[in-house]
Amino acid sequence: MTRVLIVDDERNIRKAFRADIEAAGDRYLLLDAITNAADAEMICRSRRVDLVLMDINTAKNESGIEAAGRIKKYCPRTKIIIVTSYSDPHAIEEARAVGADSFWFKDQSPVELIEVMDRTVSGENYWPKQNPDVVLGDISFHELTGTEKEVLYQLVRCISIRKMAETMCIEETTVKYHLKNICQKTGCRNKTELMVLAIQNRLVLPVKDADI
């Protein structure tokens, strides 16, 4: 019997995950359903946990990805599936980097969660080929160029054009050029409206202790 820990700060999501696990009660046992990724690390180090369904952004702004890395360090046999509603273009690579076993988008996945769980427990890895597309004003996110996607990503994380330019190692005029193009494509009037649009569509994960 595979012992499962749910880590998600959304009550309805925890309820849905619990229903999936109970429906597969012949092979899964729910140990607990908690809201904080930091608590998940303590549970995994004190009890036998075979599989963790780990949300990325949990209660108290705790990062599920960071917690997954710590769990893998001390409990390497524990399987971890990162689950999220965000379409952050860097989330999958960050999850891979910390040793997560699989990745599942809550809202737009062609594969059911229970299938991802079965495959992960059996030793496979499930990684989406690309992030879900989302409507971004007058266009879809995937209609932006690679550079424009990165500029939009850094806009939410950095906010200031100066800091964006430093982070991307480009000139401020280049940042402004791309922002102008993105605004024209999406129908936004300015970079503030564009940033709000990106946040509303969950294109970038929340930044802990952001220097803004």
Side-chain angles (χ1 to χ4, degrees), residues 77-176:
R77 294 184 179 180
T78 299
K79 303 285 188 179
I80 301 177
I81 302 174
I82 299 295
V83 299
T84 187
S85 295
Y86 285 86
S87 297
D88 189 311
H90 295 276
I92 293 178
E93 61 189 62
E94 290 178 6
R96 283 182 184 273
V98 299
D101 298 277
S102 296
F103 194 104
W104 188 72
F105 288 108
K106 299 177 189 176
D107 303 321
Q108 301 183 56
S109 177
V111 180
E112 295 294 331
L113 175 61
I114 200 70
E115 179 181 342
V116 177
M117 292 168 62
D118 288 342
R119 290 167 62 174
T120 303
V121 169
S122 69
E124 294 183 46
N125 303 102
Y126 178 78
W127 296 97
K129 293 181 180 179
Q130 66 177 9
N131 292 58
D133 200 4
V134 297
V135 176
L136 198 62
D138 296 337
I139 62 171
S140 71
F141 178 68
H142 288 333
E143 290 181 68
L144 296 176
T145 67
T147 300
E148 288 171 344
K149 290 176 182 177
E150 184 63 19
V151 167
L152 184 57
Y153 175 81
Q154 295 299 341
L155 171 64
V156 177
R157 294 182 68 87
C158 299
I159 298 181
S160 80
I161 289 177
R162 177 189 59 78
K163 190 171 182 180
M164 289 173 65
E166 291 176 354
T167 301
M168 297 181 68
C169 298
I170 59 178
E171 298 293 330
E172 291 185 29
T173 53
T174 304
V175 172
K176 292 177 181 178

Side-chain angles (χ1 to χ4, degrees), residues 44-45 49-50 68-80 98-101:
C44 288
R45 294 181 68 173
V49 179
D50 302 311
R70 294 191 296 268
I71 291 171
K72 277 296 187 179
K73 179 179 179 181
Y74 294 104
C75 310
R77 294 184 179 180
T78 299
K79 303 285 188 179
I80 301 177
V98 299
D101 298 277

Side-chain angles (χ1 to χ4, degrees), residues 4-8 17 21 51-55 79-83 113 117:
V4 184
L5 174 65
I6 297 172
V7 187
D8 200 295
F17 288 175
I21 293 169
L51 177 65
V52 181
L53 304 180
M54 179 74 79
D55 190 20
K79 303 285 188 179
I80 301 177
I81 302 174
I82 299 295
V83 299
L113 175 61
M117 292 168 62

Side-chain angles (χ1 to χ4, degrees), residues 50-69:
D50 302 311
L51 177 65
V52 181
L53 304 180
M54 179 74 79
D55 190 20
I56 288 183
N57 187 46
T58 71
K60 299 180 181 179
N61 202 27
E62 290 289 342
S63 168
I65 290 180
E66 292 178 6

